[in-house]
Each structure stands twice: as C-alpha cells, then as structure tokens.
Amino acid sequence: MVRVLRALSLFSGIGGLDLAAQMAGIEASAFCEIEPFPVEVLTKRFPGVPIFDDVRKLKRGDIDGSIDIIHGGFPCQDLSTAGKRRGLSGERSGLWFEMLRVISEFRPRYVLAENVRGAVNLALDTVYAGLEDEGYEVRPHVIPASAVGAPHQRERLFVFGVRADVHRRYTEAMTNPGCELRQGSEFDGAHEVEAGGMNDDKSERSEGRLWPTPTASEGSVGEIVSSDDVYIQNANGTFTKINRKGKEWNVDLARMVRLLAMPTSADTWSGAELLEANGGRLNPDWVEQLMNFPEGWTDVNCDEPKPWQGWPALLGQAQYPYEHPRTTTGGKDRTKRLKALGNAVVPAQAYPFFRAIAEIERSITNDC
C-alpha cells in the first residue's frame, strides 16, 4: 500500500488544486492564503488544517512532518492579458520567487505551479530555470478546461516538477519487465480513489458552443452595463457588444447569462433594455457547476456541499435537469463567491498531475 502523501498548498484560493489532490488520495497538510473570503471557505471545507496568511513569512519550521508535494497557483495579475503584464517583476506575480524559496527550504518530492496561459511568454522560462536549479526534472503543459469536458476554455499553464532523485528511481523502476502505467478504472490511488466518469463528455455537446470562461470580475466589473451599449445575438448563440463609439467587444459570462434570460426572442438589445429587465444576476451556484466544484462549496453557510453533478450544458443548449438557474435575484456573498470562483482552478483540469504523482509513487514503492 502506497503511503499517504502530504501536500503544502500555496496561494490556495478556495482549494481547487486541493480537491484535485484529494481525489488522488493526497492529504492537505497546510494552506497559505491571504484573502479573507477564500480563508473562510478553506476553514469551512478543511476543518483543522492550519492556514498561514503570508507566503513571505512561511518557513520550514512552521510545519511539522514531511512535505511530499508543494503546489500553488501563484498570482496572475501581472501575467494575465487583462492586466498590465509586468511579468515576474510585478508585485503580485513576483511572489513566484517566494514560492521558489519555500520549495528550496522544504525540498518536496513534487512541485506543481499553475498560472494563466499568458505566463508562457512572461514567466515560464524563469519558473522552469528556477526549478531546474533546485534539482527538479521539469515538464510544462498548457491544458484547457475543455480538454476534460468543461463547457468553457480556461487555458492554464501547469509546470510539473519531479525531484531528480525521485525521477531517477521512477525511471529505473519503469525498466523492470511488466512495469507499465495503469489507466482508467484500474487506477486506485493511495486511498483507492478514482474520478470514475466525472470527466465523461456528453454526445450532445457537438451542437453547442463554449461559454465564456468565468473571471474574478464577474460579480462586479463584469456586470456593469451602459445604457448606450447595443448587444447583437450572433447566429451561433453568442452576443457581440457594440459601444457608443461603434467598437465591438466580446461579451463576458455575467452579461451573457443576463442576455439569454431576457424574456423575448429578439436578437438585438440596448443596454437600457438590459438594465430595465429583472432577470437577475449571475448565479454562483451555477458557476460552481461550471467550475467543477461541489455544490455549495463557496457558500460558507452550507455545512455539507452536495457532490458535483456534472458539467452544465453548452451555450445555446437547453439546461440539464440537474443544473442550477444561471441567474439569481439574491444570495449572500454572491460577489465574493464569484470572485473566488473566477480565480479558482478547475479540479478536473489539475487532477491528472496528482494522479501521475500517485502512479509514480506506486511504481517506486512496488518496483511495479
């Protein structure tokens, strides 16, 4: 039996990477998160697990016992196309170097760093070189959430590092006769945990389109509507916004669901009409489903989130029976929940890396 692996989670957010690790039988030993609302969520969902608030102050002596994995989505504000793209010289995204310092102090067997697609040009070389200098075999991957069945794109960069001695032992084990990676339902992880059919796609998906990817601004800036704007529905079901200067813009998720909820079949709307309509606002319960989180995960008043039921239907398709309404007229902490979800990692998107870790450990422990 493979021993239980322990992970230190940095820039934890609401625990998307930690849910993925949990599915592979990996234990959360500690979190590091500074934002108050995500800390509330982590406290509620992982009771008893210590939470540190500042990665710059985190030291090896703060955590008892061994740490096998360090993972985290270091801040993306200086790397995203929505920001000023200062790269790792920016104050927020520059916290990568604190993550690297923590890795150097703890010397975990595995590292997983996550960020936005824009980090490929602005940060990947530095992240890659930093991990190599610390003695890790490094493999970068860009994976869209749609690759695991999600009805939105959400491309993310994952930089996966395996400590050189662990990589060497694994490579040696794989030369043994009959040693091969297990796949699908044959995999049982450290706790006989397997995702099963959670990523299975639906045959009817071929007739719909991807939703806009949820962002952190969906509950605030994403819902600002100007009365001068005009929204035109395209033949494929999406909308284009034309502002008062005649410039065309893509429509984000928060506005998209409001437009789709308009009570008529017209295909052109003014911003004034949208403001007058009482169709509600983007529903965080539905966004949780869109982001592959258990239902009620970000609702701190919910004691027991329900298991995730499956991906929502694509844009242009009728909703599945298990889906929550896309819009709502109320809800406590709605904006905070949407911001946290917009910053989160889709667990199913990260799960293959933790699954790979569990497989490497099995191969090393059993010599296949």
Side-chain angles (χ1 to χ4, degrees):
M1 185 70 175
V2 178
R3 68 184 178 86
V4 177
L5 299 174
R6 301 178 73 238
L8 169 59
S9 173
L10 306 180
F11 313 107
S12 306
I14 55 174
L17 287 174
D18 305 282
L19 277 171
Q22 192 176 69
M23 286 191 292
I26 295 167
E27 176 184 282
S29 61
F31 300 104
C32 188
E33 175 57 49
I34 199 168
E35 293 294 328
F37 184 72
V39 168
E40 284 189 61
V41 174
L42 293 173
T43 301
K44 185 80 172 184
R45 304 301 169 219
F46 297 91
V49 179
I51 303 175
F52 299 89
D53 65 355
D54 192 342
V55 69
R56 295 169 297 185
K57 299 177 182 178
L58 184 61
K59 301 293 189 296
R60 179 65 186 93
D62 294 333
I63 298 175
D64 295 330
S66 63
I67 293 296
D68 302 293
I69 305 161
I70 290 180
H71 60 73
F74 61 97
C76 67
Q77 287 88 339
D78 302 303
L79 305 171
S80 171
T81 55
K84 296 183 178 180
R85 297 177 68 77
R86 295 188 179 95
L88 294 180
S89 63
E91 180 180 359
R92 299 297 301 278
S93 296
L95 289 174
W96 153 252
F97 297 106
E98 291 296 330
M99 182 173 180
L100 185 62
R101 175 190 60 78
V102 173
I103 291 166
S104 179
E105 290 186 18
F106 281 81
R107 302 293 302 156
R109 297 166 70 82
Y110 307 93
V111 172
L112 182 63
E114 177 270 341
N115 215 290
V116 297
R117 175 67 173 79
V120 171
N121 294 327
L122 293 175
L124 178 55
D125 285 351
T126 301
V127 172
Y128 194 113
L131 289 174
E132 274 201 327
D133 288 346
E134 290 296 329
Y136 288 85
E137 293 286 335
V138 185
R139 300 291 184 273
H141 303 268
V142 174
I143 300 177
S146 56
V148 294
H152 56 99
Q153 188 77 357
R154 200 173 194 83
E155 287 188 315
R156 286 298 181 267
L157 168 67
F158 294 90
V159 183
F160 184 43
V162 182
R163 204 174 65 201
D165 62 306
V166 178
H167 184 270
R168 184 170 55 253
R169 287 184 61 195
Y170 171 67
T171 302
E172 292 170 354
M174 290 297 287
T175 63
N176 294 336
C179 184
E180 60 185 17
L181 291 177
R182 296 180 297 175
Q183 299 181 15
S185 59
E186 294 180 8
F187 172 76
D188 59 15
H191 288 164
E192 299 184 352
V193 174
E194 169 60 30
M198 67 173 293
N199 299 331
D200 289 349
D201 210 347
K202 296 182 171 63
S203 59
E204 61 267 30
R205 286 194 183 281
S206 60
E207 299 179 2
R209 291 185 62 84
L210 295 176
W211 289 95
T213 288
T215 65
S217 63
E218 299 291 0
S220 52
V221 177
E223 295 195 335
I224 295 175
V225 176
S226 170
S227 60
D228 296 325
D229 294 337
V230 174
Y231 296 89
I232 299 175
Q233 187 166 28
N234 306 308
N236 61 15
T238 64
F239 286 86
T240 298
K241 184 182 84 170
I242 303 176
N243 67 14
R244 58 186 177 84
K245 296 182 179 180
K247 186 174 182 179
E248 294 187 1
W249 298 82
N250 293 328
V251 176
D252 60 17
L253 183 65
R255 295 182 180 95
M256 184 75 73
V257 297
R258 292 175 65 185
L259 287 161
L260 291 173
M262 296 288 275
T264 173
S265 60
D267 56 12
T268 300
W269 301 96
S270 69
E273 289 175 300
L274 185 56
L275 287 168
E276 291 174 5
N278 188 24
R281 300 292 187 269
L282 184 61
N283 184 0
D285 293 330
W286 181 72
V287 177
E288 282 181 341
Q289 294 178 321
L290 197 66
M291 289 290 291
N292 182 225
F293 279 84
E295 298 180 24
W297 184 263
T298 58
D299 180 357
V300 293
N301 295 308
C302 173
D303 291 331
E304 294 187 18
K306 296 180 180 179
W308 181 73
Q309 298 298 303
W311 303 112
L314 287 166
L315 196 162
Q317 296 179 333
Q319 287 190 273
Y320 298 131
Y322 58 76
E323 287 188 57
H324 288 283
R326 295 167 184 158
T327 60
T328 181
T329 56
K332 187 177 184 294
D333 294 327
R334 192 187 68 88
T335 299
K336 292 179 181 178
R337 293 176 67 190
L338 289 173
K339 179 180 179 180
L341 287 162
N343 279 325
V345 180
V346 173
Q349 197 174 1
Y351 170 71
F353 296 99
F354 295 107
R355 153 94 176 260
I357 288 171
E359 274 290 276
I360 292 171
E361 287 295 307
R362 179 190 65 83
S363 301
I364 291 173
T365 301
N366 301 331
D367 283 332
C368 287

